[in-house]
Amino acid sequence: MSTTKNEILSYVEELTQSLDFHNMDCFTSNSICEEMSISRSLASQYLNDLNREGILVKITSRPVYFLDRRTLEDKFHVSLTEDYFLGLDDLIETIQEESEIKRNYQKLVGYDTFLKQPINQIKAALKFPGIGLPVILHGNAGVGKTRLIREMFIYGADNGLFSKDAKLLEIKVAKDTDVLSQLVGTESAKGYLEKVNGGIIFIRNCQNMSLENQQQLSRIVEKGFYFDAKTCVKNEVKCHIFISVDGNYKTLIDGDLAQCFPVVCELPDFHLLDYEERELFVIQILQDKALKLRKKIFLSKNALQALINQKYNRNIDDLNNILTDLCALLNARSDEDRLIIDATELPLNYVRLNDLENNCLPKGEELNLIDVSAYTPCNKNHRILDILSSLLIQFSNKQLHGDFPTLQNKQLFLDLASCFNSCLKVDSLTEIETLSTNVQRVITNLVKSYGYTMPYVSYNMIAYFLINSKDKSDMYVEWEGKNRYKIETLISYYQMNYPAAHLLTEKIIKLLEVTLDFRGDDVLRSILLLNLNMYNNFDNASPFLCFIVAHGDSTASSMANAVNTLLGSSIFEALDLSLNYSTLELMDEIKNIVLQYMIKTDILILVDMGSLEGINDSLKDIPNKNIGLINNVSTKLALDIGYMVKEGLSIEKILKTSVEHSKSSYTLYKNMSKKNLIIFVSDNGISMANRMKQLFVNSLPKNIMLEIESFTVDNVMSEDFMSNIENEYNLLFISGMTNKVTSEKYISLENILNTKNLDYLLSGLSQYFSNDETQTLLDNLLHNFSLENIIANLSILDGRILFKYVENAVNDLQCELNVKFSRNNLVGLYIHLCCMVERLVTKEPITNKEDLDEFIVKHKDFIDIARKSMKKTCDHYGIQIEIAEIAYLFDFVREDIVK
């Protein structure tokens, strides 16, 4: 950015800090050009450039005004997504709307990190049809349960989830509190259930409730009605009921009461929060005290560190009480307009000796103090995204002027790397460090195969953006939206100018998805490309783009991988075609490849079969390209061509030499060894199969060279699909939850639970383990695949509560049908019904099944019995069973009914 442009930006930032929406003349281009002593056209050009870059917002009134975006956002605590506003009123209205939204849960520290899941759970509970879902909040004393509910009530009021006269009424339970009388009322007073007017009743410290009160509350919540204490009239519950428990609710309240609350939110202790979240709590509390006392408060850095690192018995409540007492004490003994908190003012157990020594400076010298009213706590996410924004802006500026960036000026990227290193030192980011190590392990060999290198900090960056792309915090999503165009521009530039680096980036992202189960986004793509460009010279890349095109699921990929490994570098990319690809379709694919990488002057395409005559004609209209095509490719032919590419031979020489030396020969290898494979399936979808697979992987006593995959039931039922699988793999067994698979290698989940077929299962794995390891595997399977653990791991709902309802429903079904289900069918039925409830709760029911009309006619009695047996479960979870689900249920019990 030019010096004049920087000066204009600094001046607009300074003006925006004093913005009062009255005197706006100073924000016009005329006023700015006069103040800066530059021409109006130059000032207008730079102001509009800064607007296009997203740095300034533009008010397109008459006259036009320019304001600094970041200063506006900081000044009014809002997030602006628009670059243009039609007038001053439009901007003011937007700020007011954003401020109104911010006044609820978004004020809370950690609303988009450690509180994100509890907030989303409470949102879902409030929005659930009817009176919503009851909620338990649990966590140790002082973690912020009450404040969260108060802010969520404001959120509900702002979003029209309650009536206008709805209230939030709290009951703080002591040992002798009669909760029931407060809820239903007395002869002389109305109860909270009536007075709350459809709002929220929040019962705090439920661990102190008497057992009798807990049982009475559970009946009210479960049945949805109560009897008025004065009139004895039966009244419907028309409000939300939330409770909190100081500690682990499972051990502190009655089990029947806990079962009535399907939504469970846990809040962590203060010392378990991230460093910047603990820092923000300290600063916010002191800012509040400064406002109340109408004095400035200064805090030494040692005192700040001591307060952040302390472990409090009652968490945030203790922190607040300590700072309140301290500010009151300092205020009482000082008439000055400011208070100074240093480490010597804190309790001795909060600080170390060297902290005290660092605060004992000679008289008259100031400590290294922080003004809490003007202090912005360190936020690694803001710093990282700010630097990345600057990199993208620098890139865009160079591109607009025709000077494509080569990152010769590396200072911004070095700042980004330095920011990551400092963040890892300030706080022990265990998740990032662990993932960084795994990323390095997974992709290092792939990066090296392209002749590139990456330092350790690059893997930290990749890990950070992988986690953010998965968590999608509000701040990250907002930043991504603002910079989407710049990110896409950067990716397109590298795709066109450095296709090898772009292809490597796509391979890295695919590898991370497969091995670490993280999905990469465009932000991660840009980070990978910048890292590769930072530490490698792209301009020395080979002028060739070499592709192997072959029919089959992985024929080209396998050949390219083998050849690249032998060459010691990634010369060939692969394109796998389905077996029914026509010559015309092949021509289109090859043409698309050539057009995608126009920067390459020499393109070699090796195809496995088919005539090249039509292909040659289709490529004639592509200018300025040397395109060589060779058919009947083999690994040896590709290897020979790869060596010639590395030697720098011309494309004509490579083509002539490769054809002259190409000779066919063959060797027949019988009984080739195949990789062993285990498959997991489920009638409840691929997600459920993945969960079973993970349970099995967790049972293995060590990592082994074995493929374990999840497929849909339709895949496994397909003869063509299974034929391809068995051609490529040695299938050990199939396991899961379905009655459709008839393969002799199928071991149902029920049989694992009943310890049947375990000998067959273990025999297939004995080649990998010693006797002791085999016994460990068996023990792990018996534990991990117990009925209780299966239900707990395969459902997102509370497994203990869910199983109790399902167990009762199955018992009712047996009584209504006058049959006793077999042990094997009973286990499968439990699991099937638990999965069914989850599907219905998440609005993903099974709606289609063959011969459904015939089933309705023939089995009307069974449909009625099934609905009757499942009624309590359906009422508890607010669901309704579809006919297709009942038909699947009938398939499970058909054998026992016939008997």
Side-chain angles (χ1 to χ4, degrees), residues 423-450:
C423 287
L424 289 169
K425 290 176 183 176
V426 168
D427 195 12
S428 56
L429 304 179
T430 307
E431 185 179 14
I432 290 180
E433 289 181 318
T434 302
L435 182 57
S436 175
T437 302
N438 289 331
V439 168
Q440 185 177 17
R441 175 178 54 81
V442 168
I443 71 174
T444 296
N445 288 337
L446 177 59
V447 173
K448 287 181 178 178
S449 72
Y450 274 73

Side-chain angles (χ1 to χ4, degrees), residues 323-581:
L323 292 176
T324 301
D325 292 345
L326 183 57
C327 290
L329 178 63
L330 294 174
N331 184 57
R333 72 188 192 199
S334 173
D335 294 329
E336 296 184 14
D337 61 352
R338 68 175 190 168
L339 305 179
I340 297 177
I341 301 174
D342 60 46
T344 61
E345 304 289 352
L346 302 178
L348 286 176
N349 61 314
Y350 278 36
V351 292
R352 300 182 300 272
L353 181 61
N354 61 320
D355 291 333
L356 295 174
E357 291 173 349
N358 289 336
N359 279 267
C360 297
L361 298 179
K363 188 174 181 180
E365 291 190 26
E366 289 286 346
L367 297 170
N368 190 7
L369 297 176
I370 297 166
D371 180 354
V372 298
S373 62
Y375 182 65
T376 302
C378 75
N379 187 308
K380 64 178 182 294
N381 296 312
H382 278 126
R383 294 205 308 275
I384 289 168
L385 294 179
D386 282 349
I387 296 172
L388 186 54
S389 294
S390 300
L391 268 172
L392 292 172
I393 290 170
Q394 182 193 52
F395 183 97
S396 298
N397 288 340
K398 289 185 177 180
Q399 191 181 40
L400 288 170
H401 291 87
D403 179 18
F404 284 94
T406 57
L407 290 182
Q408 295 302 318
N409 181 359
K410 299 179 178 180
Q411 188 56 50
L412 276 173
F413 195 91
L414 292 174
D415 289 345
L416 185 62
S418 175
C419 182
F420 273 94
N421 287 330
S422 63
C423 287
L424 289 169
K425 290 176 183 176
V426 168
D427 195 12
S428 56
L429 304 179
T430 307
E431 185 179 14
I432 290 180
E433 289 181 318
T434 302
L435 182 57
S436 175
T437 302
N438 289 331
V439 168
Q440 185 177 17
R441 175 178 54 81
V442 168
I443 71 174
T444 296
N445 288 337
L446 177 59
V447 173
K448 287 181 178 178
S449 72
Y450 274 73
Y452 295 148
T453 184
M454 277 189 183
Y456 185 73
V457 70
S458 297
Y459 300 110
N460 289 339
M461 290 189 201
I462 295 169
Y464 170 85
F465 284 100
L466 278 174
I467 291 170
N468 274 277
S469 66
K470 185 175 183 179
D471 293 345
K472 292 290 184 185
S473 68
D474 292 349
M475 180 186 68
Y476 182 83
V477 171
E478 180 185 328
W479 180 91
E480 184 181 16
K482 287 181 180 178
N483 293 276
R484 181 169 301 282
Y485 175 75
K486 297 183 184 74
I487 293 169
E488 291 173 352
T489 300
L490 181 144
I491 294 171
S492 297
Y493 165 74
Y494 281 106
Q495 182 177 3
M496 291 300 301
N497 291 273
Y498 303 108
H502 180 263
L503 287 169
L504 172 58
T505 297
E506 294 304 313
K507 285 188 176 183
I508 288 173
I509 288 176
K510 184 65 176 177
L511 189 60
L512 292 173
E513 288 179 3
V514 172
T515 57
L516 300 180
D517 198 25
F518 278 90
R519 295 188 65 82
D521 56 12
D522 281 349
V523 180
L524 180 63
R525 285 180 172 85
S526 63
I527 285 294
L528 285 167
L529 288 165
L530 288 171
N531 271 278
L532 289 169
N533 202 172
M534 174 69 182
Y535 300 107
N536 302 278
N537 188 350
F538 285 174
D539 293 327
N540 290 339
S542 167
F544 282 100
L545 177 67
C546 304
F547 260 90
I548 295 176
V549 182
H551 295 78
D553 290 338
S554 59
T555 307
S557 298
S558 299
M559 187 182 300
N561 288 338
V563 172
N564 288 337
T565 301
L566 292 170
L567 292 171
S569 59
S570 290
I571 300 295
F572 289 99
E573 302 298 334
L575 176 61
D576 295 304
L577 305 177
S578 63
L579 294 173
N580 58 356
Y581 245 61

Side-chain angles (χ1 to χ4, degrees), residues 306-324:
L307 290 165
I308 289 171
N309 295 327
Q310 180 64 19
K311 185 174 181 180
Y312 302 94
N313 292 332
R314 291 181 61 83
N315 294 288
I316 302 163
D317 284 356
D318 271 2
L319 172 64
N320 183 63
N321 292 337
I322 288 164
L323 292 176
T324 301

Side-chain angles (χ1 to χ4, degrees), residues 606-655:
L606 286 63
V607 297
D608 60 342
M609 57 186 177
S611 171
L612 299 182
E613 293 176 4
I615 298 177
N616 291 335
D617 293 336
S618 71
L619 299 179
K620 287 179 180 178
D621 58 341
I622 301 177
N624 303 319
K625 296 290 158 212
N626 297 318
I627 304 172
L629 293 99
I630 304 175
N631 62 358
N632 300 321
V633 63
S634 65
T635 302
K636 182 181 182 303
L637 177 60
L639 187 61
D640 289 342
I641 292 174
Y643 280 124
M644 286 186 277
V645 168
K646 292 186 70 174
E647 290 173 9
L649 300 184
S650 68
I651 190 168
E652 293 88 349
K653 182 67 173 176
I654 291 174
L655 292 172

